[in-house]
Structures are given as structure tokens and as C-alpha cells.
């Protein structure tokens, strides 16, 4: 963003020393299993705006009122279990159908939301929706020969259906064209204006409609357009930019460099993973020019008029960001939730969320959100996904091809937030077949087979077969159990805590990797002891056979419980087969192998649930499937 507002003062002096933290610290620190992480110590103190002399001025600046700080509402959110939390996805542009990049943002937020629910944390909401205003939508509607409201209605419905089909458990779906949202934006604008954070100034720069943002020269490249004429494009998206010169309302972003810096210094967990936190600090070290927050209505009519000035339209990013407040009933009831908000966003929109949004909030008298979780992008066979390359992956087709759970598992298991990940069909089939169909499904199938467990019960654990040891050196003379078995049960016992740490650090893929490793170990345990070879007529062998199955089912119960946020349907099927009741599926009460520790096991002797067939069917190789598509 490089505004050329008339007559700027030199940039602010360099900010204080950067609040670095050891790479990866906090991100992976395991947490106690029983509690959803308490919020970081928040920024409740009022921010200090830069002195007026350091702020932008010029012809327009003469008229500016001083920047005063509106009183901040006390947040009603309390720390600890029982506290409220808003998780959010970005709201999606309503100019085209959903693709797997959108889906990935939504699935990450959904997994966090579901995980938190399983922890028995307090009331939670998961918000999503569609971003319906702006030049991009206005132009897309014109190109499609329709009106913006008609286009938005259609595309918004498509997103809602795609998210519901993907089992994204959203509680709120905001459309920025909705009257309640528009009212919230007008109020928010009033708070900015009344606090003196806005002024009118002449503005010019290169505008990228696809990104809905002005770009500085360093983010531009020279290209030729379709007619061979030289043109400038955005380095990031490759879309053409256009020189725009108009009178706009400006937001005093430059005044918020110090407050933003302090916010990050006091909240090193505010942006995760760490490389993105460091990236935001680097942005704050650079010049932070004021931000144009309106467009002339004659050019952009599809948007919310600036309150009190019908010649201007509110900048679409200000409009869109306010969805995180309007969903909470701003300006009336948001204080019951805000700032207990965690935003999941792609790296391309990090600056809007980690710089502009916190600054806008501070200027409106509100604290920044608690946390921002950032992810990278999906490429397709090594290429950026784009309409012009024709390689955009349709989520509906993927659900038809890989099932909803299969595709959710793939994206969350393979997606690494810190770096871009590549998608291709063969990779999905290979991963899902090996980890869900073969390893997990095979284990359930083998350990519940009639031939091995004819009574179809959760069999008993025998302490004499699997005696408790205090250290692993003690395994001598322990009969059938080996040191390997002790190591294996120890790693399953520590799994819930590891998974908790990874969810806390936004490393869901690592949580899934740990689970996959344990599933493999359980298969090895089962294979090693060959329960099918044991003679059920011999009471000693029967005890051992029951113990092997008991341990295996206990492992499966832990995996099923931990996998619920990622593959909800498959986990439900697994837990139902193990006769785990809905109220026994939470994480706060998750125990593993209590009989080993001399505690009673409520499942022992219980009749297993009905056998409803294969847990997860192997996927066919690409090209052999029926696809399910839903187009615009
Ligand atoms: N409307 C804005 C967000 C406003 S939030 C106040 C927007 N919309 S978007 O539809 O373009 O993008 C929504 C999300 O999809 C973003 O998190 C973005 O990073 C993500 N993805 C879009 N393409 C992507 C990939 N190729 N891969 C992964 N996610 C990407 O931005």
C-alpha cells in the first residue's frame, strides 16, 4: 500500500528493538490436556498515538481534528475454562465459486473450533461469510451480465453450501450486504471519525482490483497486456494495476506504528506461526503510510456510502474486516466476546489482519484480536491456482472423488501453514488409502473381527499379562510383554497432550502426523503378538488374547476421539463401533488404558456397537471416479 497523500512528513523514527522470540517457541509448547489454552496476557492498556507533529499533514491535514482516543469498552471475556471465543474464517469474495484454497482456510478454523468444543471450553462461535462489496464484485457482475446483488446471492449460496458440505461447523454466516452488517460499518466509521483518525486527502497510486488494494512500486512488475501494450501488474497476484487519483478519506495508520509494535511486543503469541509474526515486525520497521479508506462513489457504487458523505464509498477492506465485530452484534453486544477472537487467514491477507485491522480497532477504541493464525497457499502440480491456467480445484468435485472426510484429512494432514503445499490427485489417493483406509480402518477391522472377538465385546485387560512397571529396565521376566510394548503404550498415553500442544500452536498437520505414527505402532503391536494364533480354549492364552484386543481398542478409542475435529464422520463411525457414548467423546475426560494404572475401565465388558462395514473405503486411482460438481 503506497498512498501518495499530499504532503507527508518524514517517516517515524525507527521503532524499539524487535521483540524476537526463539524460533518456534510457544508454537509447540505442549499444554495441559484438560484445558483449552488460556488467553495471552492481553493488551488492556490504552494505546498512545504518535504526537500530532509526527503524523501526516499537508493541505488536507490542516483541517484535521486532533486524534483523541475514544473510551475503550471493558471486555467481558474472562480467562480460563468457560470463557467465550470467536473463531473466524476470512469472508470470501463473492465474485467466483469456492476453491480448495478457500476450503483450507475454513477447515483450519473448523478443526480449531471443533477441537475447542471437545476440550469442554466455554461457549464458542465459528464465523464465516461472504465479502460482497467493492470494485472486484462490481466488475465481475458487469462481466457476467448480471447485477452485483444477483451475483452475490448466487455465489454466497454456493459458499454456504460448500462449507456445509465440507462439514464446516460454522455458527454464523455474515454477508456484508446484510443491513445489520452495514449498520455496524457505519457505526465503526463514526467511531474512527469521532476519534479524529480520519481526514480527507488527495490520493493517488497503483490500484489492484483483484487484491482490492493500492500497491507500492516495489510490489509491481512490468508486463504486456493482451493487446501487447506495456502495463504494470502486481508481483504477488500477477493482476494488472491501474493508476488511480482521487479524493479519499485517509486513515492515520502512520500514527499506530508504536502502538502496534507494543501490542506485538506484549503478545508474542498474537501471530502464529512464528515466521509470520516476524514478517509483521519487519513491516512495522518499514514506512507505514496512511491508508486510503474510501473510494469516490462515481467509480465505486457497489458498497456502503460513507456516513455523512454520499460522494464516497467505504473501502471494501474496512467494510469486510468489520464482519468480525458485526457478527458479535457490534455496537451493542460485541463486548460479551471481543477481544476473545482468533482469526484464521491466508498469508496474502496478513497485512490487512495484522496491521490495518488492529490499528483500526485501536482507533475505534477497541483492543486487537487475541490471535491471528496464518497459513500458506496450495499450488496445483507446482503451479499457482488460477482461472486463466484452468487449474482451479473445485471442492465439490473433491468431495465426490475422495469423500468429505478423506479430503479434509488430506488438506489438514498435508497442509503446512509455514510453507506452500502442492496438490495433485495421486497424492491424495496415496495418503488417504494408506493412513485412513489401510492403517486405521484395517486396525479396527482386525481387532473387531468375529474370528478374533466372537463375543463382540470390549474385552478385559489382565494385569498379569501386562504388568505395570515403574521403569523400562524392569521388563525382564515379564512374560509376553516386551520393552517395545511398554514404549508403545507410553507414546499413546502421551498423545493427547502432544496433540493439544500442536493445536495450540496451529500445527494441526503435526498432530495428525503423531496420530498416524501411533496408529502404525498399534498395527505393529497387533502384528507382533499374532492374536489369531492364540488358542482361545487355553485360559491363559484367552487372557492374553483379551488383553491384546483391549489395548488395541483403547488405542483406537484415543485415535477416534482425537480425530473428531478433522474427520468427524469417520471418527463417529469408529467411536460408535467401539460403543463410546456421545458424552464419553470429550477430551477433558479422555483416559487411556486406565486398567494398566489399576483404575477401572468403563468400557471393559461392554457390548461393541453394530458393525456398519468398512471404516473407510479405499479410494480409486484418479480417473476412475464419478465426480460431483456444482458450478456457478
Ligand atoms: N475477502 C477477503 C477476505 C476478507 S476477511 C475480512 C479475501 N477473500 S478470498 O476469497 O480471496 O480469500 C479467502 C481465503 O482463501 C484467504 O484466507 C486466502 O488466503 C485463501 N486462499 C485463496 N487462495 C488460496 C490458495 N491457493 N491456497 C490457500 N489458501 C488461499 O481475501
Amino acid at each position: 500500500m503506497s498512498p501518495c497523500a499530499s504532503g507527508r512528513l518524514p517517516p517515524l523514527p525507527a521503532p524499539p528493538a524487535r521483540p524476537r522470540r526463539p524460533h518456534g517457541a510457544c508454537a509447540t509448547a505442549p499444554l495441559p490436556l484438560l484445558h483449552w489454552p488460556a488467553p495471552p496476557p492481553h493488551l488492556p492498556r490504552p494505546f498512545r498515538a504518535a504526537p500530532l507533529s509526527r503524523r501526516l499533514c499537508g493541505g488536507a491535514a490542516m483541517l484535521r481534528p486532533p486524534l483523541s482516543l475514544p473510551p475503550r469498552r471493558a471486555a467481558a471475556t474472562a480467562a480460563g475454562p468457560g470463557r467465550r471465543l470467536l473463531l473466524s474464517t476470512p469472508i470470501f469474495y463473492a465474485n467466483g465459486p469456492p476453491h480448495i484454497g478457500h476450503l483450507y482456510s475454513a477447515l483450519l478454523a473448523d478443526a480449531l473450533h471443533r477441537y475447542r468444543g471437545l476440550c469442554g471450553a466455554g461457549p464458542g462461535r465459528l464465523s464465516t461469510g461472504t465479502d460482497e462489496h467493492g470494485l472486484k464484485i462490481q466488475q465481475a457482475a458487469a462481466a457476467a451480465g448480471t447485477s452485483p446483488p444477483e451475483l452475490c446471492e448466487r455465489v454466497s449460496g454456493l459458499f454456504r453450501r460448500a462449507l456445509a458440505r465440507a462439514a464446516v461447523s460454522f455458527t454464523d454466516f455474515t454477508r456484508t450486504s446484510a443491513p445489520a452488517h452495514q449498520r455496524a460499518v457505519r457505526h465503526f466509521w463514526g467511531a474512527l471519525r469521532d476519534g479524529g483518525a480520519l481526514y480527507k486527502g488527495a490520493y493517488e497510486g497503483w490500484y489492484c482490483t483483484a487484491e482490492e488494494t493500492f500497491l507500492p512500486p516495489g510490489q509491481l512488475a512490468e508486463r504486456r497486456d493482451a493487446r501487447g501494450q506495456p502495463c504494470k501488474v502486481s508481483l504477488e497476484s500477477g493482476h494488472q494495476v491501474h493508476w488511480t487519483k482521487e479524493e479519499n478519506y485517509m486513515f492515520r495508520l502512520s500514527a499506530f506504528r508504536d502502538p502496534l509494535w507494543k501490542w506485538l511486543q506484549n503478545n508474542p503469541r498474537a501471530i502464529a506461526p512464528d515466521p509470520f509474526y516476524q514478517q509483521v515486525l519487519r513491516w512495522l520497521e518499514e514506512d507505514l503510510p496512511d491508508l486510503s479508506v474510501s473510494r469516490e462513489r462515481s467509480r465505486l457504487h457497489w458498497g456502503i456510502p460513507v456516513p455523512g458523505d454520499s460522494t464516497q464509498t467505504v473501502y471494501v477492506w474496512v467494510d469486510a474486516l468489520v464482519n468480525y465485530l458485526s457478527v458479535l452484534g457490534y455496537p451493542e453486544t460485541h463486548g460479551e466476546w471481543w477481544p476473545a477472537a482468533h482469526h484464521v487467514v491466508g498469508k496474502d491477507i496478513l497485512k490487512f489482519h495484522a496491521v490495518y485491522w488492529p490499528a483500526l480497532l485501536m482507533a475505534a477504541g477497541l483492543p486487537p484480536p487475541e490471535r491471528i493464525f496464518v497459513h500458506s497457499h496450495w499450488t496445483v502440480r507446482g503451479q499457482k491456482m488460477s482461472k486463466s491456467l484452468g487449474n482451479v480445484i473445485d471442492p465439490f468435485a473433491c468431495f465426490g472423488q475422495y469423500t468429505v472426510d478423506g479430503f479434509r484429512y488430506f488438506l489438514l494432514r498435508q497442509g503446512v501453514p509455514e510453507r506452500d503445499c502442492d496438490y495433485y490427485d495421486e497424492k491424495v489417493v496415496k495418503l488417504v488409502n494408506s493412513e485412513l483406509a489401510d492403517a486405521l480402518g484395517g486396525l479396527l477391522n482386525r481387532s473387531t473381527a468375529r474370528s478374533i472377538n466372537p463375543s463382540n465385546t470390549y474385552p478385559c485387560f489382565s494385569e498379569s499379562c501386562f504388568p505395570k512397571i515403574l521403569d523400562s529396565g524392569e521388563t525382564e521376566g515379564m512374560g509376553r510383554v516386551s520393552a517395545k510394548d511398554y514404549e508403545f503404550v507410553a507414546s499413546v498415553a502421551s498423545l493427547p497432550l502432544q496433540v493439544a500442544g500442536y493445536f495450540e500452536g496451529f500445527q494441526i498437520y503435526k498432530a495428525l502426523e503423531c496420530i498416524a505414527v501411533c496408529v502404525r505402532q498399534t498395527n505393529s503391536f497387533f502384528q507382533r503378538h499374532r492374536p489369531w494364533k492364540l488358542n482361545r480354549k487355553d485360559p491363559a492364552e484367552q487372557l492374553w488374547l483379551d488383553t491384546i484386543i483391549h489395548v488395541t481398542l483403547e488405542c483406537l478409542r484415543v485415535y477416534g476421539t482425537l480425530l473428531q475435529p478433522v474427520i468427524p464422520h469417520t471418527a463417529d463411525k469408529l467411536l460408535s463401533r467401539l460403543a463410546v457414548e456421545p458424552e464419553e467423546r470429550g477430551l477433558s475426560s479422555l483416559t487411556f488404558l486406565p486398567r494398566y494404572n489399576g483404575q477401572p475401565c468403563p468400557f471393559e465388558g461392554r457390548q461393541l456397537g453394530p458393525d456398519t462395514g468398512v471404516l473407510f473405503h479405499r479410494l480409486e486411482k484418479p480417473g476412475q471416479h464419478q465426480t460431483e460438481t456444482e458450478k456457478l
Side-chain angles (χ1 to χ4, degrees):
M1 171 77 53
S2 173
C4 308
S6 47
R8 275 191 320 184
L9 279 184
L12 292 175
R18 287 166 62 158
R20 287 195 190 276
R21 65 177 184 218
H23 193 82
C26 301
T28 54
L31 282 161
L33 169 65
L34 304 189
H35 304 286
W36 181 253
H42 206 75
L43 158 113
R45 59 178 98 134
F47 72 89
R48 184 176 59 82
L52 193 62
S53 60
R54 276 151 129 219
R55 287 184 230 135
L56 259 182
C57 65
M62 303 297 181
L63 306 170
R64 282 180 278 152
L67 178 63
S68 62
L69 307 180
R72 189 172 274 170
R73 284 176 77 129
T77 48
R83 78 188 195 95
R84 295 168 177 226
L85 184 76
L86 171 74
L87 263 154
S88 67
T89 79
I91 51 170
F92 304 101
Y93 283 128
N95 65 330
H99 59 60
I100 61 164
H102 303 133
L103 181 67
Y104 184 53
S105 282
L107 288 183
L108 286 165
D110 180 55
L112 293 177
H113 176 64
R114 285 175 180 268
Y115 185 83
R116 185 175 179 274
L118 287 176
C119 289
R125 287 165 80 162
L126 173 60
S127 73
T128 189
T130 39
D131 188 351
E132 305 190 3
H133 292 138
L135 207 54
K136 189 177 168 115
I137 312 289
Q138 188 175 298
Q139 289 178 354
T146 183
S147 67
E150 264 172 25
L151 177 71
C152 291
E153 185 67 24
R154 214 162 357 125
V155 178
S156 184
L158 215 46
F159 270 98
R160 192 188 265 272
R161 280 200 298 286
L163 296 176
R165 175 87 176 91
V168 173
S169 55
F170 60 88
T171 56
D172 298 87
F173 191 97
T174 301
R175 295 185 57 184
T176 55
S177 58
H181 171 79
Q182 300 197 25
R183 182 173 157 263
V185 172
R186 285 194 293 271
H187 190 93
F188 192 80
W189 183 278
L192 296 178
R193 184 196 52 213
D194 296 348
L198 303 178
Y199 64 96
K200 221 166 178 186
Y203 190 90
E204 54 190 300
W206 292 102
Y207 196 77
C208 176
T209 306
E211 295 170 39
E212 292 283 19
T213 188
F214 281 95
L215 293 170
Q219 286 176 31
L220 301 174
E222 302 285 342
R223 294 276 185 283
R224 293 204 172 263
D225 67 13
R227 287 170 299 134
Q229 300 300 310
C231 70
K232 288 193 192 301
V233 298
S234 157
L235 264 180
E236 164 77 23
S237 67
H239 287 103
Q240 197 171 339
V241 296
H242 298 278
W243 186 254
T244 309
K245 185 176 179 184
E246 50 185 54
E247 196 168 75
N248 289 165
Y249 285 94
M250 302 293 295
F251 169 63
R252 297 176 200 277
L253 182 61
S254 56
F256 288 87
R257 197 150 70 126
D258 285 353
L260 287 169
W261 190 266
K262 288 202 180 101
W263 164 57
L264 290 177
Q265 209 162 22
N266 293 336
N267 297 279
R269 294 176 349 128
I271 299 165
D274 191 63
F276 296 111
Y277 175 79
Q278 302 296 343
Q279 169 67 66
V280 176
L281 293 178
R282 281 196 295 278
W283 283 330
L284 292 181
E285 278 178 346
E286 293 164 8
D287 190 17
L288 196 62
D290 286 356
L291 181 68
S292 161
V293 287
S294 71
R295 303 298 310 275
E296 277 176 8
R297 200 146 185 88
S298 55
R299 293 178 201 238
L300 175 65
H301 59 80
W302 180 236
I304 303 173
V306 164
D309 184 350
S310 57
T311 67
Q312 295 274 323
T313 301
V314 175
Y315 177 39
V316 63
W317 266 103
V318 173
D319 176 348
L321 287 163
V322 171
N323 95 85
Y324 302 128
L325 289 176
S326 66
V327 70
L328 301 177
Y330 179 83
E332 284 88 21
T333 53
H334 62 287
E336 291 164 23
W337 295 78
W338 196 263
H342 294 186
H343 301 319
V344 172
V345 301
K347 63 179 184 180
D348 53 321
I349 55 174
L350 176 57
K351 199 179 231 180
F352 298 94
H353 283 82
V355 178
Y356 304 163
W357 179 225
L360 287 163
L361 284 162
M362 290 179 197
L366 290 164
E370 260 176 28
R371 301 194 73 183
I372 299 169
F373 293 120
V374 193
H375 66 79
S376 300
H377 282 181
W378 283 92
T379 53
V380 177
R381 293 190 185 276
Q383 283 187 308
K384 204 178 162 93
M385 221 184 334
S386 84
K387 256 191 242 163
S388 49
L389 286 174
N391 63 353
V392 175
I393 306 290
D394 169 14
F396 286 105
C398 295
F399 299 144
Q401 203 168 332
Y402 311 121
T403 76
V404 168
D405 276 13
F407 199 53
R408 283 177 65 108
Y409 187 77
F410 170 77
L411 288 180
L412 293 172
R413 167 85 166 88
Q414 285 286 304
V416 177
E418 290 93 325
R419 57 173 186 267
D420 286 354
C421 301
D422 197 33
Y423 167 93
Y424 50 94
D425 295 327
E426 297 81 351
K427 201 171 178 181
V428 190
V429 173
K430 198 169 164 202
L431 179 91
V432 169
N433 278 348
S434 109
E435 295 191 354
L436 290 186
D438 298 347
L440 188 67
L443 187 61
L444 178 70
N445 192 32
R446 295 164 94 194
S447 55
T448 53
R450 286 276 167 182
S451 55
I452 214 164
N453 184 6
S455 63
N456 199 38
T457 53
Y458 212 100
C460 293
F461 176 86
S462 159
E463 290 106 327
S464 62
C465 292
F466 209 131
K468 185 175 168 98
I469 52 156
L470 295 176
D471 70 71
S472 53
E474 254 187 63
T475 54
E476 280 299 297
M478 284 301 187
R480 302 177 189 254
V481 206
S482 67
K484 256 190 186 164
D485 297 322
Y486 284 104
E487 272 165 36
F488 144 65
V489 292
S491 58
V492 181
S494 66
L495 187 63
L497 201 61
Q498 268 186 298
V499 167
Y502 288 134
F503 267 83
E504 146 66 17
F506 198 51
Q507 292 175 304
I508 297 173
Y509 72 103
K510 281 201 180 165
L512 294 177
E513 189 182 308
C514 289
I515 297 172
V517 167
C518 283
V519 173
R520 271 204 298 279
Q521 286 182 334
T522 318
N523 270 308
S524 304
F525 164 78
F526 200 81
Q527 189 70 24
R528 192 158 58 239
H529 295 298
R530 301 161 164 253
W532 57 92
K533 292 269 187 196
L534 296 172
N535 177 6
R536 232 179 293 117
K537 295 206 178 89
D538 175 341
E541 300 241 307
Q542 175 71 55
L543 275 184
W544 177 224
L545 171 61
D546 284 351
T547 302
I548 296 170
I549 299 176
H550 180 98
V551 171
T552 307
L553 296 190
E554 277 291 279
C555 291
L556 280 166
R557 187 170 63 78
V558 168
Y559 308 147
T561 306
L562 294 173
L563 285 168
Q564 290 174 96
V566 174
I567 44 170
H569 308 104
T570 309
D572 174 48
K573 193 167 175 184
L574 171 55
L575 293 172
S576 298
R577 178 74 174 108
L578 300 180
V580 182
E581 298 294 338
E583 63 278 8
E584 295 170 325
R585 298 179 180 189
L587 287 165
S588 50
S589 55
L590 182 60
T591 52
F592 168 63
L593 211 54
R595 295 280 282 103
Y596 176 76
N597 287 312
Q599 303 292 318
C601 171
F603 301 95
E604 212 173 50
R606 199 183 277 190
Q607 193 67 32
L608 292 183
D611 180 359
T612 51
V614 171
L615 180 69
F616 195 95
H617 286 277
R618 281 181 70 79
L619 300 174
E620 292 169 2
K621 290 207 185 87
Q624 298 178 333
H625 52 263
Q626 290 280 314
T627 58
E628 169 195 5
T629 49
E630 194 167 336
K631 296 268 177 249
L632 253 185

